[in-house]
Amino acid sequence: MDIFPKQTVEQLDRFVIGQTEAKRAVAIALRNRYRRSQLAKAVADEITPKNIIMKGPTGVGKTEIARRLAKLVGAPFIKVEATKYTEVGYVGRDVESMIRDLVEVAIRMAKDKKFAEVRKKAETTVERKIVNAVVAEKKKKVTDMAESLLYEQSLAEYRDGKLENFTIELEVVREMKPVIDIPMGVGVGIEIGSIFDKVAPGMFPKQNKKKTMTVAAAREMLLEEESDKLIDKDAINAEGIAMAEQNGIIFIDEIDKIGATGGGNGPEVSREGVQRDILPIVEGCTVQTKYGMVKTDYILFIAAGAFHISKISDLIPELQGRFPIRVELTSLNKDDFYKILTQPDNAITKQYQELLAVDNVELQFDKEALMLVAELAERENDSSENLGARRLHSIMEQVLEDISFNAGTKKIKETVVVDKAYVEKKMKQTIKQTDLHKFVL
């Protein structure tokens, strides 16, 4: 997508409060990716992404910035935790699995794109199959109507959405082929079923089974089935791999926890081993996946950590060098919390309003009430563990517990106003505890 850094930051501002430095860094990285795509191949091949490392406490927007960035441009994105990986030779996930996971996401995206292209054609086939099934069911009860008239009637009802809960019987075809994976080294496997598909197609018999379901459920199943018939799987795999290689974004969280903290043996050696295994992935290498070979040279890596105990300089020098852009995210204060509650497109207050509207409750928030919630979030983060914006979720759940529990019991629409007095009543114990902390030295 042709989008300038300033526009990217404006879009990120819709979902993440503050953290301008981090937003600018990812916006420039995104624009550089577009700039590279406009260059001659010989030049473009020499330009690799400038990976980013984010330092900041939990809940301040590190993951959300990366996730929203990927969504903005429709890029394959995964979040992984560095602590989940183990050094080669040990039991656990190897670092190459992050690339295989990214490719799975990219393949799914490519498939969805193709499905959208063939949907109209698939819908025509699905409509015919479902209406025929509806007619077959109706004929069991209606015997005095011509089949052509029954078909026209059912077709009209289907298109008007009147048959969504009508129950029909469909014949589901299932191939009885094995799905065993044979390991072929670290993180690589071969699916037996896929081999026989190519070498001896039709070797495994198909099993027909009748299944009863609603029209709504049948449509979803048949759309997937018919769309699958209309697409070229090899082309999708190739497109998915290309998307992962050229546009993929991998967010590596908790990278600070695999940094050395002193000692030099035992767990320290294991953490350094994980760093050394991650290094070639970030530097650029080729990883074998079940869809084919994938180059990691142009994948954008964004690493993040709180770095409370360890420092960025505790990572091995080679890995530090692969993350040349470093940004520090700041802790959130009560003004930030108030903005988080009210300004983003997906603000918590807006989410609760939408949820409770389902049960005919119009939820309104008084400004002073939200200012108090923001202040409580800041005080709780200061007096206990700092959870960042996640603290707001905890407080809002406590404040709205009774409202959520009783919503829907009245048949008429009701308006509920959450004011400062209501928040004080619901958070009385928390306010008392945070007040006491002022006097603890």
Side-chain angles (χ1 to χ4, degrees), residues 136-180:
E137 287 298 319
K138 285 185 175 181
K139 279 174 67 179
K140 295 175 183 177
K141 298 177 182 177
V142 181
T143 56
D144 58 346
M145 187 182 293
E147 187 169 328
S148 59
L149 189 59
L150 200 57
Y151 187 92
E152 288 177 18
Q153 182 193 75
S154 300
L155 180 60
E157 288 176 335
Y158 175 79
R159 289 178 176 175
D160 289 342
K162 296 177 180 178
L163 297 174
E164 292 299 278
N165 295 317
F166 189 89
T167 303
I168 58 175
E169 191 176 67
L170 287 177
E171 199 168 73
V172 180
V173 181
R174 290 180 180 173
E175 279 192 282
M176 304 300 290
K177 65 181 180 182
V179 289
I180 303 169

Side-chain angles (χ1 to χ4, degrees), residues 289-344:
T289 75
K290 68 180 181 180
Y291 301 104
M293 307 297 282
V294 177
K295 291 178 67 177
T296 70
D297 302 61
Y298 307 110
I299 294 171
L300 176 64
F301 291 89
I302 302 175
F307 291 98
H308 290 316
I309 300 171
S310 63
K311 304 184 292 292
I312 294 177
S313 58
D314 289 326
L315 298 172
I316 59 174
E318 299 93 327
L319 191 59
Q320 290 182 53
R322 289 296 165 177
F323 289 90
I325 300 174
R326 299 175 187 181
V327 292
E328 187 161 349
L329 286 82
T330 57
S331 294
L332 303 171
N333 57 35
K334 65 180 180 182
D335 291 334
D336 295 322
F337 288 134
Y338 179 75
K339 290 175 183 175
I340 290 169
L341 285 168
T342 57
Q343 291 184 10

